[in-house]
Amino acid sequence: MKLPLLSLLSFACMMSYTNVSVAQSTEASLIEQGEYLSKAGDCIACHTKDGGDKYAGGKAVASPFGAIYSTNITPSVEYGIGSYSYKEFEQALRHGIRADGEFLYPAMPYPDYQKLTDEDTKALYAYFMKGIQPVEKANTKTALGFPFNQRWGIRFWNWAATDDGVFVEDTKKSKEYNRGAYLIQGLGHCGSCHTPRGMLYQEKAYDHSGDDFLSGADVGIWYAPDLRAGKNGSLESWSEQDFVDYFATGRNKHSGVTGEMTDVIQYSLSHLSKDDLRAMAVYLKGQAGNKPSKLASSKASEQTTNVLNLAKVDIDSGARLYIDNCGACHFTDGAGASHVFPQLVGNSLVNADNPQGLIHVILAGSRLPSTADAPEAIEMPGFGWRLDDEEVAKLATFIRDSWGNKAKSVNADEVKKIRSTIAVDILNKSAP
Ligand code: HEC
Ligand code: HEC
Ligand code: HEC
């Protein structure tokens, strides 16, 4: 009698042991999935302040109404979201409602995150509750002026300025296209920078059914270009692989990343799988718009190249400045070198209506991020120590009007304004 009972018992033990380990391994894989999604959502970018503890908040997120401080989203019960139930987390992430019922400012991109599936929201919850360590650090209070300090007002904003949010699959398109659409519209919150804002500071469209979606917008002094492939021409010539290279390394045949996009590559996109990056490329390539292309004609390009190669004594001073300072890396044909020196012809930063980002790069230089696939953080030196405002203006005007580029001229006052925002040690960092 004893023997079968024992073996039955040990069998039962084994069973429950396997159940526990199955549960553990599903939990571990859920946490792992959540960690991956946290990268796709770039939660770290806003919820970690420079030099601060990961996810402990305190970073000022700029808005036209003033600085909004991100919060501690570690599982600290006292200071973070340690006591959040799944429902409360889901409400914060997808609907901008805090556990205490107050409304979050849309500096937290919940209008984009509302596209997330339940499954992904659960994985993120698992990661933030069990995959990271609590940090016992109190939040910095956001103190906007009246009326923006009245959080209840956000209820009306939500009603007027966001759409109903659920991700809509396009059943006529491939699985890959739809995966890209889901990542770009939702977790990637690409529209929070690349979509122009309306009167209420809302993104003018939350998916490609609106023409404004990802059609380019100013972000501080930088310009987040039009991503609707064919629309402004410069992305028209990018292949799927060019997009994948840019996302994984911040560089490709045409361009090198600068400004606000650098961190997006460094902390988010360069950590995603190649399948996901390709899906995003497929989706973007599928959005070709209908505006005429601004791509440089090869004739105009040849003309500038000839002028620079001949370098006659009476050459325009902008062209002279280009030969002396820039030609060594970007070459007389403005084509640069694939994956190292970006192409200036048809470049969206060079051709942006707002020249401030270009001026900033000339004055302060720029550094490509180091990523797993391209660890070399190649740098462009700054020229702020060497060129005065008038010279930078002439140079910028020259490259915005050469090789077929067509953008308005730049004046010394615009340069002066940007110079005043850059710290002196950065302006002098490339000086001998
Ligand atoms: C573009 C910046 C930005 C990004 C990206 C971002 N957040 Fe936030 N988040 C904020 C800000 C700012 C607040 C605080 C808003 C306020 O106080 O009204 C916030 C608040 C929150 C809250 C509410 C916390 C509380 O104090 O009750 C949660 C939860 C949260 N974020 C989770 C996330 C997760 C998860 C991700 C990534 C999927 C993420 N956030 C990405 C800016 C961001
Ligand atoms: C924080 C703001 C911000 C977010 C979020 C953001 N971008 Fe950008 N993006 C920019 C800026 C600014 C540039 C211009 C960089 C430059 O000029 O080198 C840019 C450049 C790009 C370019 C290169 C365009 C060109 O013509 O050179 C691509 C492609 C791109 N972003 C795709 C994306 C995708 C996809 C997402 C979402 C996963 C995204 N971006 C999210 C700000 C942002
Ligand atoms: C020593 C080589 C070198 C020299 C000289 C140089 N650059 Fe660059 N440039 C680079 C590299 C490398 C990058 C990529 C850095 C990045 O994108 O962060 C770059 C990036 C740029 C970009 C941004 C392109 C984009 O796609 O966002 C512009 C515009 C630019 N350079 C213009 C100039 C001008 C104008 C001059 C002359 C004043 C100049 N460069 C001199 C190496 C150089």
Side-chain angles (χ1 to χ4, degrees):
M1 255 333 259
K2 253 184 182 165
L3 204 68
L5 189 69
L6 252 180
S7 52
L8 201 72
L9 258 174
S10 63
F11 180 69
C13 280
M14 252 173 65
M15 279 296 287
S16 68
Y17 175 75
T18 8
N19 275 340
V20 169
S21 73
V22 165
Q24 273 170 353
S25 77
T26 22
E27 176 160 84
S29 78
L30 197 65
I31 292 174
E32 202 178 308
Q33 192 195 339
E35 179 172 16
Y36 180 81
L37 295 166
S38 74
K39 294 199 169 122
D42 208 5
C43 318
I44 201 170
C46 296
H47 284 279
T48 306
K49 92 174 186 206
D50 290 346
D53 289 311
K54 202 169 156 185
Y55 296 126
K59 180 164 175 164
V61 179
S63 86
F65 324 110
I68 296 169
Y69 290 93
S70 66
T71 49
N72 183 335
I73 54 167
T74 71
S76 155
V77 172
E78 187 163 4
Y79 301 112
I81 59 171
S83 60
Y84 268 59
S85 65
Y86 169 68
K87 189 73 204 152
E88 287 164 345
F89 179 80
E90 183 275 327
Q91 285 292 306
L93 194 66
R94 293 201 294 207
H95 304 286
I97 302 170
R98 238 166 39 182
D100 64 2
E102 290 274 23
F103 290 93
L104 292 174
Y105 291 109
M108 159 74 184
Y110 63 85
D112 299 334
Y113 291 158
Q114 40 177 345
K115 299 240 159 68
L116 261 83
T117 60
D118 293 343
E119 197 196 343
D120 284 355
T121 311
K122 282 181 185 145
L124 279 164
Y125 180 68
Y127 173 65
F128 281 100
M129 290 300 148
K130 297 189 174 146
I132 61 172
Q133 293 300 317
V135 178
E136 306 303 329
K137 192 172 162 292
N139 284 323
T140 309
K141 211 172 156 44
T142 293
L144 301 185
F146 184 82
F148 303 113
N149 57 355
Q150 304 294 304
R151 284 182 182 261
W152 56 265
I154 303 171
R155 176 197 296 272
F156 299 100
W157 188 90
N158 286 340
W159 175 74
T162 67
D163 64 10
D164 59 1
V166 198
F167 176 69
V168 189
E169 196 162 312
D170 183 342
T171 50
K172 290 202 273 309
K173 294 281 182 7
S174 68
K175 242 180 118 174
E176 200 179 28
Y177 171 100
N178 279 300
R179 173 70 181 163
Y182 173 71
L183 287 169
I184 285 184
Q185 295 170 20
L187 263 182
H189 64 285
C190 315
S192 70
C193 291
H194 287 273
T195 300
R197 306 255 176 184
M199 293 276 286
L200 296 171
Y201 196 61
Q202 84 284 19
E203 292 167 41
K204 279 186 167 170
Y206 291 96
D207 65 44
H208 57 260
S209 64
D211 263 357
D212 288 312
F213 183 60
L214 303 182
S215 68
D218 288 328
V219 187
I221 69 153
W222 302 100
Y223 172 68
D226 186 344
L227 299 182
R228 303 292 287 271
K231 266 196 174 174
N232 79 345
S234 54
L235 289 181
E236 203 168 32
S237 53
W238 287 31
S239 66
E240 268 172 30
Q241 190 58 43
D242 291 338
F243 279 104
V244 174
D245 288 349
Y246 185 82
F247 295 152
T249 68
R251 61 200 84 172
N252 62 18
K253 218 158 63 211
H254 312 277
S255 186
V257 69
T258 49
E260 297 272 344
M261 187 68 192
T262 311
D263 283 357
V264 179
I265 304 272
Q266 178 103 64
Y267 299 111
S268 175
L269 299 178
S270 66
H271 299 276
L272 303 192
S273 71
K274 293 293 178 308
D275 285 350
D276 276 348
L277 297 185
R278 188 160 298 276
M280 289 164 61
V282 166
Y283 174 66
L284 286 178
K285 292 284 290 174
Q287 304 309 320
N290 47 13
K291 278 192 215 154
S293 166
K294 277 205 249 160
L295 258 197
S297 78
S298 56
K299 193 148 163 256
S301 168
E302 241 172 68
Q303 267 169 8
T304 306
T305 310
N306 286 339
V307 168
L308 291 173
N309 283 339
L310 289 172
K312 294 203 177 127
V313 276
D314 60 345
I315 189 176
D316 166 271
S317 58
R320 169 66 61 197
L321 286 162
Y322 182 83
I323 297 172
D324 293 347
N325 295 288
C326 324
C329 296
H330 295 282
F331 301 112
T332 51
D333 61 1
S338 184
H339 292 78
V340 185
F341 304 128
Q343 187 175 334
L344 303 181
V345 186
N347 186 297
S348 48
L349 178 82
V350 171
N351 288 287
D353 286 342
N354 174 349
Q356 295 182 338
L358 171 63
I359 296 170
H360 196 284
V361 169
I362 297 177
L363 290 175
S366 178
R367 192 194 174 99
L368 288 167
S370 166
T371 70
D373 287 356
E376 337 52 75
I378 304 172
E379 224 177 289
M380 156 156 163
F383 290 83
W385 62 278
R386 185 169 177 185
L387 303 177
D388 65 24
D389 295 344
E390 192 61 48
E391 288 170 323
V392 173
K394 284 196 172 128
L395 176 59
T397 300
F398 169 76
I399 62 176
R400 278 159 72 83
D401 188 33
S402 293
W403 306 287
N405 288 340
K406 283 247 164 307
K408 72 174 183 2
S409 60
V410 174
N411 64 50
D413 284 343
E414 289 172 290
V415 180
K416 189 171 169 205
K417 200 172 120 211
I418 297 299
R419 191 189 288 272
S420 71
T421 65
I422 305 172
V424 177
D425 54 328
I426 292 179
L427 282 173
N428 288 330
K429 92 176 169 229
S430 307

